[in-house]
Amino acid sequence: MSLLATRDLTIRFGGHVAVNAVTCAFQPGTLTAIVGPNGAGKTTYFNLISGQLKASAGQVTLDGRDLSGFSVSQRTRAGLGRAFQLTNLFPRLTVLENIRLAVQATREGGHRRGLNLWSVWSDHRGLIARADEILAAVALADKENELVANLPHGDQRKLEVALLMALESQVFMFDEPTAGMNAAEAPVILNLIRKLKEDPRKTILLVEHKMDVVRELADRIIVLHNGTLVADGAPAEVIASPIVQEAYLGVAAQNASAQDGTPPHPGVSPRRERGEQP
Amino acid sequence: MLTRLLSNDFPRNRILAVVLVGLLLALAFMPFIFPGVKALNVAAKILVFVVLVASFDLLLGYTGIVSFAHTMFFGIGAYGIAIASTRMGPGWPAIATGLAAALALSFVLALLVGLFSLRVRAIFFSMITLAVAAAFQTLASQLSEVTGGEDGLTFKMPEVLSPGYQMSETPFLGVMLDGRLICYYLLFFTALALLLAMLRIVNSPFGRVLQAIRENEFRAEAIGYRVVVYRTTSSILSALFATVAGAMLAIWLRYNGPDTSLSFEIMLDVLLIVVIGGMGTIYGAAIGSGVFVIAQSYLQDLLRLGSDTASGLPWLSALLSPDRWLLWLGLLFVLSVYYFPTGVVGRLRAMRQRA
Ligand SMILES: Nc1ncnc2c1ncn2[C@@H]1O[C@H](COP(=O)(O)OP(=O)(O)OP(=O)(O)O)[C@@H](O)[C@H]1O
Ligand SMILES: [Mg+2]
């Protein structure tokens, strides 16, 4: 059983406080949606949890264990899995190789520490079978021998999520998993998340702008605004709260049906990031 | 069987396969095809370079590490054999001791360089390796008591590998079965075994992680691989293979000095070969070494020929003077990088994909 928690988690970039004393615990068997306008600090919060950024103050704990001294890969091995908002793959390797690398990094894969130098990669049938299973789940099986660099954007996004699925983590962090996907692609990913939700041992964190998705999937919503946690509770309750209505959701709800994953917000210019093609 | 031997990494292009088999056969039967001393020297140099360049490819092409200290490990291997053979007298124990000591030293140095500097940014790492290599070169020249300084060391090999040794009185297929021949085949089979070993390593689960690190270090770490450990291991392996290549060179030349195995020029040659052959392919090392060493060895002859025939045209003759071979080699390099940015192997493989 894993219980992920952050206590007073804070990071400052110069004078700018991107995440401000966020204290929050995430229970297994729950899907928590993290919402907030562009630049609210959602991705930065994830970076602090998974270790890409070092906190200025505060802690991340997993099962009560302080992860402060843990490197990124140690955190992953401890059970924190993450998919990135900006697609982050191995471009000149094939789709199958990408997934298999993730499968191999797990305890099951057995090669995590195993500097297995002398066996032939293609002989590890078990790992390939597992990779094929995951590729089938994201509807990429027919493209397994293509180079990732040649895949269309939507397929790269699917692969991004597939890499996380291959890791067999305790905690799954999705950062706008369906952003930039078309109407046919998004349901594939949402189905995966629905399926994952059925497992009572998994803790799921989902950053998502599309409010219809959040409404359907979330057991709980937390709202970040300027790096501060401003609301936390059951979906209906949070969505109804005045602060959320005015600061964020009023506008977001109108845009929820739009395909674009990052709706504009009052006072916050829509910040397009590298690799985020419409 | 072949799949095992090649670790399921076939040339994947017919022309490439033909060239590789051709090179293999040419090197295998060299003493019988061209019995001359020069031809055999060129062939032996190719064998040494195949190992040296492939070991560098492991580092540069597969792991994406730019190190300029590679000839240092090459030099350590050559000096290991040279110093041990000088001190202990010629013989197999000297070769074994020299090689073992050289491998141990390379291991420790590669580990230290790896642990201390693979964490820093790539450009700083390259600069550190450059500094370490320069320091080592100076050290080797200074310690003339042990290394023979600038003059280097000349030494003898065990009886069987010496030119004086005759296996039989009667020549076989018109070739004397002497110690040189045995020495050549020692190099040939060592190079072949090492090349196949490297092919296996890059096609192992470990090798794929190296490629993942080359492609996206950030994500490799994020899916749970300890990048520093993999990189350091790759550096060490590459250093060990380079060390054996150095030992092969010393065994063949029965001489070693700073210019033969430590010079920066060799480092440049290795870089050129890896780029011409095709980075991250291992096969590229074999093809590149073949092309490069032959060009380097015969370009001067070819130019002399051209210069003589063009003696009517003074400017052309001057351009074709054998002293200009470096110019022509440079031109060859620029052209090949321009037309084959992915190297000979990359280009050939891409051809097949389009077809
Ligand atoms: N490495 C960094 N250096 C400096 N500032 C940063 C860094 N990372 C994030 N920021 C700043 O922190 C703030 C929060 O950014 P973050 O990416 O976490 O927002 P977000 O909530 O994920 O937004 P979006 O919905 O657009 O993805 C932004 O103002 C951003 O410019
Ligand atoms: Mg974000």
Side-chain angles (χ1 to χ4, degrees):
Chain A
M1 286 295 112
S2 68
L3 174 65
L4 173 70
T6 67
R7 201 168 37 145
D8 291 327
L9 199 62
T10 303
I11 188 165
R12 279 179 284 270
F13 297 115
H16 177 65
V17 187
V19 171
N20 192 359
V22 175
T23 300
C24 198
F26 303 94
Q27 311 294 342
T30 341
L31 187 149
T32 308
I34 303 173
V35 302
N38 287 118
K42 305 180 295 293
T43 299
T44 308
Y45 186 51
F46 273 8
N47 281 335
L48 289 170
I49 294 174
S50 58
Q52 271 90 18
L53 290 172
K54 289 268 163 276
S56 312
Q59 277 131 26
V60 179
T61 55
L62 188 66
D63 293 326
R65 195 156 49 138
D66 184 2
L67 298 184
S68 299
F70 279 48
S71 70
V72 172
S73 66
Q74 269 176 306
R75 290 179 198 218
T76 304
R77 294 197 296 271
L80 293 182
R82 163 153 190 217
F84 292 85
Q85 181 176 6
L86 303 176
T87 305
N88 209 322
L89 303 163
F90 307 110
R92 283 182 302 156
L93 294 178
T94 66
V95 171
L96 180 64
E97 285 172 324
N98 268 259
I99 288 293
R100 234 207 77 176
L101 277 161
V103 172
Q104 179 179 298
T106 61
R107 201 182 298 279
E108 286 286 293
H111 298 291
R112 171 188 284 180
R113 288 176 203 80
L115 297 166
N116 194 332
L117 296 168
W118 205 246
S119 62
V120 179
W121 162 268
S122 49
D123 284 353
H124 295 268
R125 297 277 152 217
L127 301 189
I128 293 177
R130 173 88 186 108
D132 281 338
E133 229 170 77
I134 296 161
L135 285 178
V138 294
L140 279 178
D142 51 328
K143 302 200 171 168
E144 68 174 28
N145 292 320
E146 283 190 37
L147 286 189
V148 167
N150 300 337
L151 287 186
H153 181 70
D155 285 343
Q156 293 199 6
R157 292 298 305 159
K158 284 201 254 174
L159 188 56
E160 175 65 45
V161 172
L163 278 191
L164 169 56
M165 293 308 193
L167 288 181
E168 300 169 349
S169 311
Q170 296 296 306
V171 178
F172 290 73
M173 295 186 271
F174 297 94
D175 199 344
E176 301 189 33
T178 62
M181 282 191 178
N182 65 33
E185 289 159 345
V188 173
I189 297 306
L190 295 178
N191 277 333
L192 273 180
I193 298 178
R194 279 184 201 112
K195 196 117 159 269
L196 201 59
K197 259 191 71 162
E198 288 166 11
D199 188 339
R201 290 163 306 172
K202 307 294 188 197
T203 307
I204 308 171
L205 276 61
L206 171 70
V207 170
E208 183 57 75
H209 280 291
K210 293 169 193 157
M211 288 317 295
D212 50 344
V213 171
V214 171
R215 261 196 210 96
E216 185 219 315
L217 289 176
D219 301 309
R220 169 190 177 196
I221 298 179
I222 65 176
V223 183
L224 284 182
H225 192 70
N226 289 331
T228 309
L229 201 159
V230 293
D232 176 358
E237 190 184 310
V238 171
I239 291 169
S241 71
I243 179 166
V244 171
Q245 284 292 326
E246 99 187 65
Y248 176 59
L249 295 176
V251 179
Q254 286 161 24
N255 284 278
S257 56
Q259 269 316 312
D260 195 323
T262 47
H265 305 290
V268 186
S269 62
R271 195 167 49 85
R272 282 255 162 254
E273 289 178 81
R274 192 165 50 87
E276 275 278 340
Q277 296 143 15
Chain B
M1 172 65 188
L2 192 64
T3 311
R4 306 267 77 212
L5 216 53
L6 299 183
S7 311
N8 200 17
D9 184 5
F10 289 93
R12 300 207 301 278
N13 172 280
R14 190 168 302 149
I15 305 173
L16 182 58
V18 169
V19 173
L20 282 168
V21 171
L23 186 68
L24 180 71
L25 291 178
L27 288 171
F29 297 106
M30 199 56 164
F32 299 96
I33 310 171
F34 299 108
V37 176
K38 172 148 187 187
L40 207 58
N41 275 331
V42 170
K45 194 172 172 191
I46 293 177
L47 291 173
V48 171
F49 266 80
V50 167
V51 177
L52 180 62
V53 174
S55 70
F56 190 65
D57 195 26
L58 183 63
L59 203 58
L60 179 70
Y62 281 89
T63 324
I65 297 175
V66 184
S67 163
F68 294 111
H70 208 60
T71 40
M72 175 170 89
F73 301 113
F74 186 56
I76 288 174
Y79 272 111
I81 298 293
I83 294 170
S85 296
T86 314
R87 302 257 145 169
M88 300 169 58
W92 293 106
I95 293 184
T97 313
L99 185 61
L103 287 172
L105 180 61
S106 290
F107 179 90
V108 172
L109 278 176
L111 182 68
L112 289 180
V113 171
L115 286 184
F116 281 112
S117 48
L118 279 173
R119 287 167 199 274
V120 303
R121 292 240 315 275
I123 176 81
F124 294 116
F125 174 77
S126 304
M127 278 154 56
I128 290 170
T129 59
L130 199 59
V132 170
F136 192 82
Q137 201 175 345
T138 317
L139 194 71
S141 317
Q142 296 293 314
L143 292 174
S144 46
E145 279 291 292
V146 190
T147 62
E150 293 291 341
D151 297 335
L153 296 168
T154 307
F155 48 90
K156 287 204 169 66
M157 278 289 109
E159 176 78 44
V160 257
L161 300 182
S162 318
Y165 177 80
Q166 296 289 347
M167 211 156 71
S168 73
E169 292 298 317
T170 46
F172 178 69
L173 294 174
V175 177
M176 290 307 290
L177 301 180
D178 61 4
R180 282 316 261 170
L181 200 77
I182 297 171
C183 192
Y184 178 80
Y185 280 107
L186 176 68
L187 254 56
F188 176 80
F189 286 111
T190 309
L192 191 63
L194 292 178
L195 192 76
L196 291 176
M198 282 186 265
L199 201 60
R200 171 60 62 89
I201 289 172
V202 300
N203 284 295
S204 67
F206 169 79
R208 278 302 187 286
V209 179
L210 295 187
Q211 284 171 285
I213 291 170
R214 173 195 75 195
E215 289 297 297
N216 188 344
E217 173 190 344
F218 175 89
R219 191 58 186 268
E221 179 85 28
I223 58 175
Y225 292 111
R226 289 183 290 184
V227 169
V228 178
V229 173
Y230 280 87
R231 280 190 155 164
T232 307
T233 310
S234 165
S235 308
I236 291 172
L237 284 171
S238 151
L240 295 182
F241 280 109
T243 306
V244 182
M248 287 164 65
L249 181 77
I251 289 173
W252 179 254
L253 294 178
R254 285 164 290 144
Y255 163 81
N256 184 47
D259 290 341
T260 11
S261 60
L262 275 179
S263 81
F264 199 68
E265 219 169 283
I266 299 177
M267 192 66 240
L268 283 181
D269 290 351
V270 170
L271 265 169
L272 296 192
I273 298 174
V274 118
V275 172
I276 292 175
M279 283 196 283
T281 60
I282 294 291
Y283 289 120
I287 293 198
S289 303
V291 171
F292 186 88
V293 175
I294 291 173
Q296 200 187 34
S297 311
Y298 292 105
L299 205 58
Q300 275 171 294
D301 294 348
L302 206 71
L303 287 172
R304 187 168 301 117
L305 216 74
S307 173
D308 291 347
T309 31
S311 52
L313 298 165
W315 57 271
L316 187 61
S317 173
L319 211 59
L320 291 177
S321 147
D323 298 341
R324 302 273 180 281
W325 73 275
L326 207 59
L327 172 84
W328 290 102
L329 200 64
L331 203 68
L332 214 65
F333 175 69
V334 172
L335 286 179
S336 72
V337 171
Y338 192 78
Y339 287 106
F340 312 109
T342 51
V344 176
V345 172
R347 183 59 191 253
L348 287 174
R349 283 183 172 169
M351 243 165 62
R352 194 205 68 143
Q353 273 168 8
R354 252 180 293 136

